[in-house]
Amino acid sequence: MKKDIPYGEGRDPLVTTAMELDPHPEIREAVARICAGFDLDYWRRCDEEGRFAREFFEAIRDAGFLSIIMPAELGGAGLGMQAAAVMVRTIAEAGGGWTAASTVHAYIFGPMSIVAHGSPEQRARMLPPLISGRERPCFGVTEPSTGLDTTRIRTRAVRRGDTYYITGQKVWTTGAAIADRILLLARTTPIEETARPVDGLSLFFAPMDPRHVTVRPIPKHGLGSIASCEVFIEELPVPVQDRIGEEGRGFRCLLDSLNPERIMVAAETVGIGRAALGLAARYAKEREVFGRKIGQNQAIQHPLAQSWMELEAANLMTMKAAALYDAKQPCGAEANAAKFLAAEAANKACRQAMITHGGYGYAKEYHVERLARESMIPVLAPVGQALVLSYIAERVLDLPKSY
């Protein structure tokens, strides 16, 4: 009789990693201990007061977690995307949601283009200030007139000597008001002079110089603790040495930040869904109506149970995408699918959490309304659900492009 194969032996390591719900329990436990020092009322106050959660950010920074994915030779932990996904998921799941995760989010995905395509000099110069938290980055790609049609951006970078002068506008640049640098995509060759629309775009890690950059916060539905902004750029001088990768190949460099962004958003979103589900289950066990706990009613139980299953499925896809990224394998389909599944599952879980609370679900006191507002973010960004479906249809199913 053939012996059973022990778990992990003779299996594809990527599949094995994806099967593990929590590949880094030590990170989850350490981050959870930090999060335990910040209760739900702290996150509510940050949201209501429009105040960046600086105390939490400093606690995470001082514990060394900003460096979780940065190269070890530069002082980072070098632990990879799976470890980063566990970290941000734990932060969101502890009740902070996007209010908490947004304090560290930009440090994880944006700099990956520098890690992958920066020169040794650039990596040594640009990454240590991020690893230590001395500088804060933001991500400037989306524009008001082009949205997700990135190849049609109008921001221009004109080279004169050893300096580029950049002029244009970005929108929905979260954290721009408190950022020191911006990972900025600009067109260096007019699109009509390129063989393909993706050509002629260049990527820069530029200073947020107030003499040339104006930032205007956008009032929005949720996530009041950190502003999403319009950014107006006028003749911003950027030295050639701050261009990431070759001129005209910036879109290809950018991909090494876009897939990590989707993975991080998915992990954070799973955390938001779990946080809302936990609050709903606790309330259902305590709330009594008509002489019985409402959690005894299948009308309450079944939707919450279904949300648990959907969130766990989204988490598995998230960890699979992270494992593929760490193995330097193509992960675009998995990263996009993870973001889609997590957004659907978390938004549904948050809505059901509010319904479980009844009228109290609409009250700020019970916290689920904040999580519900924040659960709309991944439905809309960084890429809409419909475009994810189109991506999978075209890239995985080989169907013709629909737009």
Side-chain angles (χ1 to χ4, degrees), residues 139 142 170-175 218-220 228-231:
F139 197 64
T142 305
K170 300 296 179 181
V171 71
W172 295 114
T173 307
T174 299
I218 301 170
K220 57 186 191 291
S228 298
C229 306
E230 294 180 283
V231 179

Side-chain angles (χ1 to χ4, degrees), residues 132-201:
S132 66
R134 296 196 310 274
E135 290 186 353
R136 183 171 183 87
C138 64
F139 197 64
V141 176
T142 305
E143 296 186 2
S145 60
T146 58
L148 290 169
D149 192 359
T150 304
T151 62
R152 304 288 172 175
I153 63 170
R154 297 181 181 180
T155 298
R156 289 293 311 276
V158 178
R159 182 169 177 174
R160 297 198 286 270
D162 291 333
T163 303
Y164 289 91
Y165 292 87
I166 302 179
T167 298
Q169 183 181 355
K170 300 296 179 181
V171 71
W172 295 114
T173 307
T174 299
I178 56 174
D180 302 287
R181 291 211 169 232
I182 181 170
L183 194 70
L184 181 62
L185 190 69
R187 184 160 284 284
T188 44
T189 301
I191 192 169
E192 58 271 15
E193 298 177 15
T194 62
R196 297 177 300 171
V198 296
D199 298 332
L201 295 166

Side-chain angles (χ1 to χ4, degrees), residues 84-312:
V86 170
M87 179 186 76
V88 298
R89 188 193 68 205
T90 303
I91 289 173
E93 186 177 349
W98 271 90
T99 302
S102 64
T103 64
V104 300
H105 180 81
Y107 287 92
I108 306 300
F109 76 92
M112 294 311 297
S113 290
I114 303 173
V115 173
H117 300 282
S119 68
E121 184 278 331
Q122 287 176 325
R123 285 155 51 102
R125 173 167 55 88
M126 296 174 175
L127 296 180
L130 303 180
I131 289 170
S132 66
R134 296 196 310 274
E135 290 186 353
R136 183 171 183 87
C138 64
F139 197 64
V141 176
T142 305
E143 296 186 2
S145 60
T146 58
L148 290 169
D149 192 359
T150 304
T151 62
R152 304 288 172 175
I153 63 170
R154 297 181 181 180
T155 298
R156 289 293 311 276
V158 178
R159 182 169 177 174
R160 297 198 286 270
D162 291 333
T163 303
Y164 289 91
Y165 292 87
I166 302 179
T167 298
Q169 183 181 355
K170 300 296 179 181
V171 71
W172 295 114
T173 307
T174 299
I178 56 174
D180 302 287
R181 291 211 169 232
I182 181 170
L183 194 70
L184 181 62
L185 190 69
R187 184 160 284 284
T188 44
T189 301
I191 192 169
E192 58 271 15
E193 298 177 15
T194 62
R196 297 177 300 171
V198 296
D199 298 332
L201 295 166
S202 298
L203 191 64
F204 303 88
F205 197 49
M208 292 289 285
D209 186 341
R211 295 171 296 180
H212 301 274
V213 179
T214 301
V215 176
R216 294 179 185 169
I218 301 170
K220 57 186 191 291
H221 179 57
L223 193 57
S225 64
I226 188 167
S228 298
C229 306
E230 294 180 283
V231 179
F232 302 88
I233 305 165
E234 184 67 34
E235 285 288 293
L236 173 66
V238 181
V240 171
Q241 56 264 36
D242 285 354
R243 187 192 70 222
I244 308 302
E246 299 178 33
E247 181 176 290
R249 294 180 62 85
F251 186 82
R252 296 166 181 82
C253 298
L254 187 68
L255 292 177
D256 278 285
S257 286
L258 294 184
N259 284 329
E261 181 183 30
R262 283 147 175 71
I263 294 169
M264 290 299 99
V265 167
E268 292 157 350
T269 303
V270 168
I272 288 173
R274 286 180 173 180
L277 190 61
L279 289 171
R282 186 174 69 187
Y283 184 81
K285 288 186 288 187
E286 296 171 352
R287 176 66 166 165
E288 188 172 307
V289 179
F290 300 121
R292 56 189 278 143
K293 306 295 185 184
I294 65 170
Q296 289 181 259
N297 302 322
Q298 291 181 353
I300 297 293
Q301 291 181 353
H302 288 186
L304 297 180
Q306 185 171 345
S307 283
W308 180 88
M309 291 186 279
E310 291 166 351
L311 288 166
E312 291 306 299

